[in-house]
Amino acid sequence: MKRRVESREESPYSKRQKLTEEISSVTQLQSLLAFNQDAASVTRQNIQAFKNFLETIAYGDDVELQSSKKGLLLEYLKLQKLSQEERPSSEALELLRTWSLAAQSNNEALFAAVTAVLALFLKTISRHVEFRDAGKNVCYLILQKDQLKILERGLSAQKTKDHVICPSLRLLTELVSFDGGSLASHVYREREITFKRFDTFLGLRHEVKAVGSGSRRKASIRDNALRYLFANLRLQDQSTKIEILSNGKFFRSVFQDIKEDAPLIIREILKVMKDHVLDDKKIPRRTKGRIFTDNVLASLATLYSYQSADDESEEDEHVQTRVNETIPKAVHIFLLSLCTTPAYGVLLEKDDHHGETEREVEAPDEELSARYQDISLLSKTRRKRTATRNHNLASFLQSLRPHASQLQRDLVLAIFQAAPGLISDYFSRKQTFSFEPKLTATWIGYAAFLLSAIQLPISEMDPLLPPSNPNIIERILPLPLSPKVLSRCFNQSIMIVKFLAVKLLTAAFDKLAEVLAFVRSSNQTTGGASARSMDTAVDELVDEFGHRCPDMSHVIALFRSCNSETTVLREASARLLLLYYQHLPQKALEQKLDLSTALLASFNDARSARSECIEHSLEPLLLGHLVAIAACSPDVRWFQKSENDQLSLFGAGLKLYATLPDDSLGRSLGALLQSALSEGFSVDAYEGKRLLAFLSASLSESHALQPHHAVFDFLDNCLTRLSKK
């Protein structure tokens, strides 16, 4: 991460600038870093002065001063014989002798100061190519056995001693990063020391607060451990990366309680895992998949409700709000890609839409026929769910809250789309929320989620798989939408509850039609026993759907309870009734539905809307549904009228038909009136069609003289009397 320096006055070295300015020669630098066994306090001051000297090079904004200090440092390294190609002895860098003394004397303050300045030294010279050879020699010296034992003391310190552990981790990070990772393999080779207690460090979030008001917080042990891990993932070779990634303890610690991390740390975790792990094609899918267990995925999902706890003063509310919005979006993009891309190892490729394997899908027609014939009726097995091989995703889905978060809802739907076999598993295991009707934000959110789940497309469904599989019915009408629950929704007094229930069941009917059309179109390419078995499976699917639908009487009662002020609900319930007739005709015909009164009112309302030129009215839609239902229902009374009705149902329909254009509604109404004439007067279809055409032409308003109401009254009276004979 880039170090942020607001100005020269706020830079790390500005408070002791006089000390660094006194170092104006190589001799002074040699004297400053010379080993002094007896004066620990003086040595610490010298280390601090050298630190300020390095910070001038690393972070200073005075280019001329930087160049001067670089020249002094380079000359010093040459005098110490650190710039030569041959590897020098450990005595060439007297800082290492001071480091050893601090470790032997248990002087933690001096030990931490030397470790920190060694890390800063490598970080500073790594940016300048002229220091390459000297820097590599210093790295080799630190990686010697004796020096590693000293470093191990820092890594073995008590967990509360941040000031000792953090510099040790920073030094390891610089060793791995130096010269583009040329020494990274050497660092990992000593992993018994260089990765000692690493999983513990990843879990230590003890924050070290900077002194003074308005200061930014310093990095915790975890922050430094993460940077060390990131450096290894960026720079190690493939075999070493795979070995690191195979350590489950490391990555459980990385993602555990990730919501407690600062925004910058979270973004870097997601970026490194995406760029250097998931997108690395040389890392096996299995290795990637083992990292992202269901618990890890659930930890990432906690970032959907991220609230920054970063103690950064001077940060206004606008910036804080932006951070709290960008983190959920960032983790959503990451999870969306992770959970729907087979190459990333979480989504198993062979877990198809029905939980079967690819080998079974590709079975020949004879095997398919035998398999379909062995399928038991869904009514006997509808509570059983097909096992899924995507166990991590199945468990992860249970931890999400799609009813409360739009981003989580989008993630669940994307996973369903990528692995439809998980839909049945999800709803059969989801016991934390009941869909019992109640007007709450949770219930409405869950209803919206169920509607989106039902409306998922099925274009990628394998046509060879049996449509009677339990997973298919769950995609059409999920388990939470039981007949009992839907019936209770229809009988509620709250309109929004009734309307959402109607929308859900309507969407289920539409999905059923989509599935059946897809299967039947695919079935045309097969023949013989396979086609017959598929037809049987389709019948079983429709039968199972009928078992899951509420009794049609509840929908009829809902339709009849709608008044003129609830036109939207009235239109929606009328369409649902029509869907019952179209897809479950046997169940629909068991109910007696006389639409005479509703149809007569709709005829009159539609005629009024046309005469008043009312646009965007729902009346034509409602009328279209009622006309289609009347064509299926045998209980419509066409030639009867009450004392309060001016015309019979047929007369009102004829009066409207005479004003309609030749569109879909006009043709549907014409076919319905023609059928009514044929049945009412016992004439064949041809004669009924001629009679309707004659009546329509005679009564059409396109004539110069429009027919008077009395003409309709007289004609309706004649037809009504004639139908009774």
Side-chain angles (χ1 to χ4, degrees):
M1 297 182 184
K2 295 182 179 179
R3 183 163 179 157
R4 296 173 60 182
V5 179
E6 303 298 335
S7 67
R8 183 177 179 86
E9 287 71 19
E10 297 175 357
S11 61
Y13 59 89
S14 60
K15 295 180 180 179
R16 295 182 177 88
Q17 190 173 354
K18 293 182 179 180
L19 284 174
T20 60
E21 290 176 350
E22 293 175 359
I23 304 175
S24 57
S25 67
V26 177
T27 304
Q28 288 177 302
L29 194 55
Q30 284 180 315
S31 175
L32 193 71
L33 299 179
F35 176 67
N36 188 341
Q37 186 174 356
D38 300 323
S41 60
V42 175
T43 302
R44 283 193 61 192
Q45 291 178 4
N46 293 344
I47 295 298
Q48 182 62 49
F50 184 53
K51 177 186 176 184
N52 295 335
F53 175 82
L54 293 174
E55 287 178 337
T56 304
I57 301 174
Y59 308 119
D61 52 6
D62 189 331
V63 177
E64 185 176 346
L65 183 61
Q66 278 183 316
S67 179
S68 172
K69 300 303 181 186
K70 279 197 308 181
L72 287 177
L73 183 60
L74 185 60
E75 188 175 352
Y76 166 77
L77 294 174
K78 289 179 179 179
L79 290 175
Q80 297 299 117
K81 298 182 180 180
L82 288 169
S83 296
Q84 60 189 13
E85 294 183 1
E86 297 180 2
R87 296 184 184 177
S89 64
S90 58
E91 296 179 356
L93 188 62
E94 296 197 53
L95 266 177
L96 297 181
R97 296 179 63 189
T98 305
W99 197 30
S100 176
L101 175 64
Q104 292 173 7
S105 61
N106 291 324
N107 189 333
E108 288 185 354
L110 181 59
F111 179 87
V114 176
T115 308
V117 85
L118 283 172
L120 180 59
F121 171 74
L122 291 177
K123 183 176 183 179
T124 301
I125 66 175
S126 66
R127 303 175 180 179
H128 307 284
V129 67
E130 60 267 30
F131 290 96
R132 179 177 179 272
D133 293 335
K136 292 187 70 173
N137 284 330
V138 172
C139 291
Y140 282 125
L141 289 176
I142 296 174
L143 290 172
Q144 288 180 355
K145 185 176 181 180
D146 293 341
Q147 310 304 325
L148 284 174
K149 287 183 178 180
I150 299 174
L151 180 59
E152 185 179 10
R153 291 178 66 92
L155 297 173
S156 302
Q158 296 179 8
K159 293 188 291 186
T160 55
K161 295 184 177 181
D162 306 61
H163 65 288
V164 177
I165 299 173
C166 287
S168 302
L169 290 171
R170 290 202 299 272
L171 179 56
L172 284 173
T173 303
E174 297 305 326
L175 288 171
V176 172
S177 304
F178 192 82
D179 192 27
S182 61
L183 299 174
S185 59
H186 295 268
V187 177
Y188 188 73
R189 194 177 301 149
E190 305 294 337
R191 55 187 171 276
E192 291 185 1
I193 295 176
T194 56
F195 277 89
K196 186 174 184 178
R197 301 172 66 203
F198 189 62
D199 55 324
T200 302
F201 295 153
L202 286 169
L204 296 178
R205 288 185 170 83
H206 306 302
E207 293 183 356
V208 185
K209 299 293 183 180
V211 179
S213 60
S215 305
R216 302 175 68 86
R217 73 171 180 86
K218 292 184 179 179
S220 65
I221 295 177
R222 171 179 167 83
D223 295 341
N224 285 285
L226 283 171
R227 293 188 181 103
Y228 176 45
L229 178 62
F230 297 157
N232 280 277
L233 293 178
R234 289 188 182 105
L235 301 170
Q236 293 285 5
D237 57 62
Q238 295 302 317
S239 60
T240 303
K241 280 179 65 174
I242 292 172
E243 191 170 345
I244 294 174
L245 292 170
S246 299
N247 193 314
K249 290 183 179 179
F250 290 175
F251 290 92
R252 281 196 296 271
S253 300
V254 167
F255 293 103
Q256 187 174 10
D257 295 327
I258 190 175
K259 64 180 179 180
E260 303 297 330
D261 289 322
L264 289 177
I265 292 293
I266 294 173
R267 290 194 191 97
E268 191 161 4
I269 290 174
L270 299 179
K271 180 174 176 56
V272 170
M273 295 304 296
K274 179 69 166 62
D275 296 346
H276 299 282
V277 178
L278 297 178
D279 286 341
D280 190 340
K281 297 181 180 179
K282 296 180 181 179
I283 298 176
R285 289 178 63 253
R286 184 181 296 272
T287 302
K288 300 174 185 177
R290 286 175 177 172
I291 298 172
F292 295 99
T293 63
D294 54 338
N295 290 329
V296 168
L297 294 174
S299 294
L300 284 169
T302 60
L303 295 176
Y304 278 114
S305 57
Y306 181 79
Q307 295 291 327
S308 176
D310 201 10
D311 185 18
E312 296 181 0
S313 60
E314 308 299 331
E315 186 172 35
D316 57 29
E317 293 183 2
H318 177 70
V319 174
Q320 192 75 14
T321 301
R322 189 171 68 247
V323 168
N324 293 339
E325 291 176 351
T326 55
I327 293 299
K329 290 180 181 178
V331 77
H332 177 67
I333 294 171
F334 181 83
L335 285 172
L336 202 61
S337 177
L338 174 63
C339 296
T340 60
T341 306
Y344 292 167
V346 176
L347 175 66
L348 300 183
E349 290 179 302
K350 292 187 178 181
D351 193 28
D352 60 41
H353 298 205
H354 308 280
E356 298 177 295
T357 63
E358 290 180 351
R359 181 185 59 80
E360 291 174 328
V361 173
E362 295 173 356
D365 288 350
E366 293 80 5
E367 295 181 18
L368 284 172
S369 177
R371 184 172 53 173
Y372 292 148
Q373 290 173 355
D374 291 339
I375 294 173
S376 59
L377 291 175
L378 273 168
S379 58
K380 298 179 181 179
T381 61
R382 59 179 176 269
R383 288 187 175 86
K384 296 181 180 180
R385 56 185 174 89
T386 304
T388 177
R389 296 176 64 243
N390 278 302
H391 302 297
N392 282 346
L393 282 178
S395 298
F396 169 54
L397 285 170
Q398 298 299 316
S399 67
L400 295 175
R401 304 177 68 241
H403 58 277
S405 166
Q406 180 63 49
L407 291 177
Q408 293 187 56
R409 183 185 309 167
D410 293 342
L411 177 61
V412 173
L413 295 175
I415 294 174
F416 283 171
Q417 187 66 16
L422 289 170
I423 299 177
S424 175
D425 180 271
Y426 176 81
F427 287 114
S428 62
R429 294 171 58 183
K430 192 70 173 178
Q431 303 295 331
T432 57
F433 182 76
S434 171
F435 197 61
E436 290 295 328
K438 57 189 77 173
L439 189 59
T440 63
T442 301
W443 188 90
I444 293 175
Y446 198 58
F449 164 64
L450 287 172
L451 182 61
S452 299
I454 294 172
Q455 292 175 336
L456 286 174
I458 51 110
S459 57
E460 297 180 2
M461 183 191 300
D462 191 327
L464 294 179
L465 291 172
S468 57
N469 190 289
N471 282 346
I472 298 298
I473 191 63
E474 292 302 328
R475 297 189 66 186
I476 299 172
L477 194 57
L479 278 176
L481 299 178
S482 64
K484 183 178 179 181
V485 168
L486 287 173
S487 299
R488 288 182 178 178
C489 292
F490 292 150
N491 294 321
Q492 287 286 306
S493 59
I494 304 171
M495 179 178 173
I496 185 64
V497 173
K498 295 189 285 188
F499 180 73
L500 286 175
V502 170
K503 289 288 291 182
L504 285 166
L505 190 53
T506 300
F509 271 104
D510 291 340
K511 188 65 168 289
L512 175 67
E514 185 182 359
V515 170
L516 296 181
F518 189 89
V519 171
R520 285 164 180 161
S521 64
S522 302
N523 202 23
Q524 294 177 356
T525 60
T526 62
S530 296
R532 290 192 295 273
S533 299
M534 184 69 79
D535 291 338
T536 302
V538 166
D539 293 338
E540 291 179 359
L541 176 63
V542 175
D543 183 61
E544 170 64 9
F545 182 81
H547 282 296
R548 292 201 177 194
C549 284
D551 193 84
M552 185 175 161
S553 60
H554 297 287
V555 186
I556 295 174
L558 172 62
F559 175 76
R560 287 174 175 168
S561 67
C562 296
N563 52 39
S564 58
E565 297 179 357
T566 57
T567 308
V568 174
L569 181 59
R570 184 177 175 84
E571 184 274 330
S573 56
R575 181 167 184 261
L576 182 56
L577 287 173
L578 175 59
L579 292 171
Y580 267 91
Y581 277 100
Q582 290 176 341
H583 298 290
L584 301 174
Q586 292 182 347
K587 194 167 185 175
L589 292 174
E590 291 175 357
Q591 302 293 329
K592 187 173 182 180
L593 176 60
D594 183 6
L595 285 176
S596 303
T597 303
L599 199 55
L600 179 60
S602 185
F603 285 158
N604 295 333
D605 292 341
R607 194 170 62 252
S608 299
R610 288 184 59 81
S611 63
E612 297 174 9
C613 299
I614 299 177
E615 297 182 356
H616 307 297
S617 173
L618 287 177
E619 288 302 330
L621 286 176
L622 175 60
L623 178 58
H625 302 329
L626 295 178
V627 166
I629 294 172
C632 303
S633 175
D635 300 318
V636 180
R637 297 170 296 172
W638 286 103
F639 298 99
Q640 296 183 22
K641 64 178 179 179
S642 64
E643 296 179 357
N644 298 326
D645 296 331
Q646 184 179 3
L647 298 174
S648 67
L649 180 59
F650 183 87
L654 182 62
K655 190 173 184 180
L656 174 64
Y657 179 68
T659 65
L660 290 178
D662 187 22
D663 55 10
S664 59
L665 177 59
R667 290 190 292 271
S668 298
L669 181 57
L672 181 61
L673 295 176
Q674 174 188 329
S675 175
L677 284 173
S678 299
E679 294 177 6
F681 299 105
S682 301
V683 297
D684 57 27
Y686 177 73
E687 290 297 329
K689 184 177 181 179
R690 288 185 58 194
L691 180 57
L692 179 64
F694 172 76
L695 291 173
S696 175
S698 302
L699 300 173
S700 174
E701 293 184 355
S702 61
H703 288 260
L705 295 176
Q706 296 183 0
H708 193 268
H709 295 296
V711 176
F712 284 103
D713 293 342
F714 172 76
L715 181 59
D716 182 63
N717 188 36
C718 293
L719 291 173
T720 301
R721 291 188 177 188
L722 185 61
S723 66
K724 294 178 181 180
K725 292 185 179 181

